[in-house]
Amino acid sequence: MRALTLNPIKHLSIITVIRHNGFLKFNFLCTSISTSSAEPLEPIKSKATNQIALGLSFGLRKCTNLWSVKQAHAKAIACGIQHDTHLSTKIAILYVSFHKVDAANSVFESIPNPCSYLWNYMIRGYATEGQFGRSLGLYNEMMQKGLRPDKFAFPFVLKSCAGLSNLELGKLVHQHSVCCGCSNDRFVNVALVDMYAKCGEVETARLVFDKMAVRDLVSWTSMISGYGHNGYNSETLEFFDLMRDSGVKANRVSLLSVLLACGSLGALRKGEWFHNYVIQTGFQCDVLVVTALMDMYAKCGSLDLARSLFDEAAGKDVVCWSAMIACYGLHGNGRKAVDLFNEMVKTGVRPNHVTFTSVLSACSHSGLLEDGKRYFKLMEEVFGIAPKLNHFSCMVDLLGRAGRLYEAKTLIENMPVKPDAIIWGSLLGACRIYRNLDLAERVADIIFQLDHFQSGYHVLLSNIYAAKSRWNKAEMVRNMMARRGANKIQGFSLIEFDNTVHKFGVGDRSHPQSDRIYSKLEELAAKMKRLGYVPSTDFVLHDIEEEGKEEALSYHSERLAIAFGLINTSPGTPIRVTKNLRICGDCHNAIKFIVKIEKRLIIVRDMHRFHHFEDGACSCRDYW
DNA sequence: GTAGGGTTAG
């Protein structure tokens, strides 16, 4: 071991210089005590070590880059002063702020008794990096050591509970935060609102919000996004108005939430209003806001507007590109999605797993079998992204729709992730399209072992039997579904008119204009019949989430919403309807007749994609 | 020293 040749006195003088001249001299100190030799240095055994620690700490005060932190850390080890609490704490905190939480943790673990300030910082670091389990582990360890977390720790502990959707733990942490006297802290309360909302307890989130003494922009925004997160889209918009009424001015984050809600509701007019608001408030150059605007326009049916926003956006990142690719997929334009993906890669933006989900889904919806297979291969081989359940789902869907049923089955059986009922359900859907009863029965067996209580799979299997005229079997599956008390999702359709979103259920008569709506449908039915429309009695055309056969097909929610739109808008105006389930085959056929009769463009967004009906045809070319 | 946020399958 080679002794450090620097004279302690010289060190002291350097430290004095650092104190007076700041960071530049800190680098000098690092260099002075470094050695070109690979041999470890013998720790300095003199009073100067404390001074060196002080000097490094002092130098780190103005530290703005990771390199300096690493240098200081290395020097601390070289001088044997890595156990200096003050210096190590500083180094660990800096590592956290440079997102090097594991490096911070190694320093943290070397400190015999870290202060609560550092504990908090470590909990924060892991929570911020998405390592929620480790963040909670530290919180637990902190309590076991008898240390009391404070108002700086709880927001991040709660963030970790939210990240893991662990409501039970979240409730315990809530109680603990009250015990620790943090119930009035606004940061803790915002984190509570966020935690409850992300764990699906939006009403509890609201209770916390209502009790808050100070409601600033962030607390309002947490509640707004909390509503959105739980699918309470109308409430999201209402709450935004309430916030503004209370005198709090919106910022980009709150705008992101409302734009998302407009997209989910298909509320184009409202979305346009917010677009205008974005321009007035000067957020139109913010790439996050532009991405949300694109998403909103595309989900409201205006793909062209989404594209022009995309073209004008400055500083497009991978999320922005992926969003535009997803927009094309949603509208059934797989070719453009694929082209845009290639353009993105050429531009030098690296795709992520979401980009691939969007590309594969776009290929699947457009029937681009070979492209889909190629990109699936590419993602791992060229971009090093291991496929996840999302990607396998897209591939099973792609192969299944293209009739490659056994290829899809082999893929499920050999994938490295555990298949769920839904991915098998996708294959069952393909069996329905290609009327493969033999495979359907085997697949259904697997599904029912995994998930007994979804009506969709029972309906699907029953429809396959019906399509093969196996009526007894079809009836048996329906009875089995009734015995098992399988859940059924209620279908509904939304249409925006006069700045309000109108909601219709199947056979719904609760709307004030109900009589006029039903008369309109009767009038249409007569005209459709003359043009050759025959209501479909073929179960096979019905979807996995079909509304029950007991309901008259002509009163499916999308038809009620369309009739409402026809009555209330002037001729020639496009009609936009959003449906929570997949559009059924009979409605799909009927709308083709309706657009011909009414000479309108009707855009229906179902749970998977858009259908643009115009001049007797649909943009999906009946492939959906 | 602290909070809220844009894209994604079936």
Side-chain angles (χ1 to χ4, degrees):
Chain A
M1 192 176 270
R2 194 169 59 83
L4 188 71
T5 49
L6 263 175
N7 181 334
I9 304 302
K10 194 173 173 186
H11 270 120
L12 287 172
S13 62
I14 292 168
I15 291 153
T16 314
V17 178
I18 290 167
R19 285 180 182 257
H20 289 104
N21 299 299
F23 185 65
L24 280 176
K25 297 296 174 186
F26 159 74
N27 282 341
F28 176 59
L29 173 67
C30 286
T31 318
S32 304
I33 57 175
S34 73
T35 168
S36 57
S37 163
E39 295 171 56
L41 293 166
E42 186 186 331
I44 303 168
K45 294 184 184 68
S46 87
K47 284 181 185 173
T49 53
N50 284 341
Q51 289 298 311
I52 293 171
L54 262 174
L56 286 170
S57 289
F58 198 81
L60 286 170
R61 268 195 344 163
K62 298 192 178 177
C63 171
T64 52
N65 61 71
L66 180 60
W67 180 85
S68 303
V69 186
K70 285 183 175 171
Q71 285 290 305
H73 188 193
K75 300 317 155 202
I77 294 169
C79 297
I81 51 171
Q82 71 270 37
H83 303 300
D84 181 281
T85 305
H86 185 71
L87 174 62
S88 295
T89 301
K90 200 155 234 174
I91 291 171
I93 286 169
L94 282 165
Y95 270 134
V96 171
S97 62
F98 287 112
H99 306 282
K100 298 287 173 199
V101 67
D102 289 326
N105 193 47
S106 70
V107 179
F108 172 72
E109 283 178 346
S110 73
I111 304 172
N113 286 307
C115 57
S116 69
Y117 179 84
L118 186 55
W119 279 96
N120 293 335
Y121 232 95
M122 291 305 301
I123 290 172
R124 171 188 165 184
Y126 278 121
T128 310
E129 296 304 309
Q131 298 192 42
F132 306 122
R134 301 205 69 170
S135 168
L136 291 169
L138 281 181
Y139 165 70
N140 193 27
E141 213 181 305
M142 193 177 180
M143 285 194 301
Q144 279 177 357
K145 285 184 188 293
L147 291 162
R148 201 178 161 92
D150 62 11
K151 62 178 189 173
F152 293 104
F154 283 113
F156 298 103
V157 178
L158 290 163
K159 186 190 175 88
S160 300
C161 297
L164 296 173
S165 295
N166 191 334
L167 178 66
E168 290 315 307
L169 188 59
K171 283 179 177 170
L172 286 174
V173 175
H174 185 179
Q175 284 170 7
H176 190 204
S177 72
V178 174
C179 295
C180 292
C182 298
S183 51
N184 290 324
D185 183 79
R186 68 196 162 106
F187 292 91
V188 174
N189 279 311
V190 164
L192 281 169
V193 168
D194 186 55
M195 182 275 292
Y196 280 118
K198 291 209 172 108
C199 292
E201 293 256 317
V202 71
E203 279 156 18
T204 319
R206 180 62 191 268
L207 286 175
V208 176
F209 176 84
D210 285 341
K211 278 191 196 160
M212 283 173 81
V214 182
R215 289 178 198 151
D216 60 8
L217 176 62
V218 183
S219 23
W220 277 99
T221 310
S222 302
M223 201 58 233
I224 289 171
S225 60
Y227 275 125
H229 189 88
N230 287 281
Y232 294 87
N233 294 305
S234 304
E235 286 80 357
T236 304
L237 300 179
E238 283 164 20
F239 225 69
F240 184 87
D241 289 340
L242 276 178
M243 177 181 81
R244 290 183 63 233
D245 291 346
S246 76
V248 176
K249 205 177 154 208
N251 71 350
R252 61 205 286 254
V253 183
S254 42
L255 281 166
L256 297 175
S257 291
V258 285
L259 287 169
L260 214 67
C262 290
S264 299
L265 289 167
L268 180 63
R269 299 282 160 257
K270 196 87 182 165
E272 284 170 340
W273 187 92
F274 281 114
H275 188 182
N276 197 30
Y277 189 84
V278 163
I279 294 166
Q280 282 172 13
T281 45
F283 290 113
Q284 76 273 29
C285 298
D286 185 320
V287 73
L288 273 82
V289 177
V290 173
T291 307
L293 276 169
M294 278 163 43
D295 180 65
M296 179 277 292
Y297 276 121
K299 286 185 178 154
C300 290
S302 295
L303 183 62
D304 294 344
L305 269 171
R307 179 65 204 230
S308 55
L309 279 166
F310 174 78
D311 287 335
E312 287 163 23
K316 290 190 265 284
D317 61 2
V318 62
V319 180
C320 188
W321 282 92
S322 307
M324 193 63 231
I325 291 167
C327 293
Y328 279 127
L330 191 64
H331 284 266
N333 207 331
R335 183 52 57 201
K336 284 200 173 164
V338 164
D339 290 346
L340 198 66
F341 174 85
N342 294 332
E343 199 183 322
M344 172 184 131
V345 175
K346 265 189 206 156
T347 317
V349 177
R350 199 178 163 75
N352 63 16
H353 68 103
V354 179
T355 324
F356 277 103
T357 305
S358 302
V359 172
L360 296 175
S361 165
C363 290
S364 159
H365 284 296
S366 298
L368 302 177
L369 178 66
E370 292 310 318
D371 288 271
K373 281 177 153 183
R374 193 155 51 83
Y375 286 108
F376 185 65
K377 215 165 159 237
L378 211 72
M379 68 182 280
E380 190 151 28
E381 288 180 2
V382 177
F383 296 97
I385 300 169
K388 295 202 272 193
L389 190 60
N390 287 5
H391 309 104
F392 285 106
S393 279
C394 293
M395 288 310 289
V396 168
D397 196 51
L398 176 79
L399 294 166
R401 283 175 202 263
R404 309 285 184 97
L405 303 183
Y406 291 93
E407 215 176 310
K409 182 171 174 275
T410 310
L411 185 68
I412 300 178
E413 286 167 342
N414 293 308
M415 60 189 204
V417 267
K418 193 176 179 288
D420 58 3
I422 299 166
I423 198 163
W424 283 111
S426 178
L427 181 57
L428 189 62
C431 292
R432 178 208 59 184
I433 298 171
Y434 291 95
R435 303 188 181 201
N436 187 329
L437 185 55
D438 176 50
L439 184 59
E441 284 181 324
R442 284 188 280 153
V443 171
D445 271 348
I446 299 170
I447 293 175
F448 295 145
Q449 279 169 23
L450 291 166
D451 188 344
H452 283 255
F453 302 107
Q454 283 297 320
S455 66
Y457 307 124
H458 293 82
V459 174
L460 207 45
L461 182 62
S462 166
N463 288 353
I464 297 169
Y465 281 126
K468 290 267 187 180
S469 305
R470 305 274 292 272
W471 306 111
N472 288 345
K473 283 275 196 178
E475 190 62 27
M476 192 191 82
V477 176
R478 294 251 169 196
N479 290 339
M480 188 165 77
M481 176 171 103
R483 272 202 315 280
R484 288 172 174 174
N487 299 325
K488 197 155 177 59
I489 304 162
Q490 212 57 48
F492 64 81
S493 293
L494 307 171
I495 180 165
E496 186 191 42
F497 175 68
D498 206 15
N499 229 6
T500 308
V501 176
H502 298 256
K503 185 175 177 178
F504 296 91
V506 59
D508 198 340
R509 288 189 182 267
S510 64
H511 196 275
Q513 291 187 25
S514 219
D515 290 347
R516 289 180 63 206
I517 291 168
Y518 280 83
S519 313
K520 182 70 189 175
L521 284 176
E522 277 173 30
E523 173 204 317
L524 279 171
K527 289 183 183 169
M528 283 156 63
K529 202 170 179 183
R530 280 201 292 278
L531 282 174
Y533 164 74
V534 181
S536 166
T537 49
D538 184 354
F539 274 83
V540 173
L541 286 178
H542 292 196
D543 192 68
I544 168 170
E545 299 94 0
E546 69 167 346
E547 289 150 310
K549 73 163 186 174
E550 65 278 5
E551 307 288 352
L553 292 174
S554 50
Y555 300 134
H556 268 177
S557 60
E558 54 269 55
R559 293 208 211 176
L560 297 173
I562 288 170
F564 172 83
L566 290 170
I567 296 166
N568 289 287
T569 57
S570 45
T573 317
I575 291 174
R576 293 182 163 84
V577 169
T578 303
K579 189 178 175 178
N580 68 328
L581 304 177
R582 277 181 77 172
I583 185 169
C584 93
D586 186 62
C587 286
H588 194 267
N589 188 27
I591 300 167
K592 289 189 208 162
F593 284 89
I594 296 173
V595 288
K596 213 166 191 175
I597 295 163
E598 296 283 336
K599 295 189 175 54
R600 296 249 199 162
L601 167 65
I602 297 181
I603 300 168
V604 180
R605 183 182 116 199
D606 72 9
M607 73 184 296
H608 288 308
R609 59 170 296 156
F610 272 95
H611 301 264
H612 295 247
F613 294 93
E614 200 168 16
D615 199 23
C618 178
S619 61
C620 78
R621 301 188 310 277
D622 302 338
Y623 189 89
W624 89 93

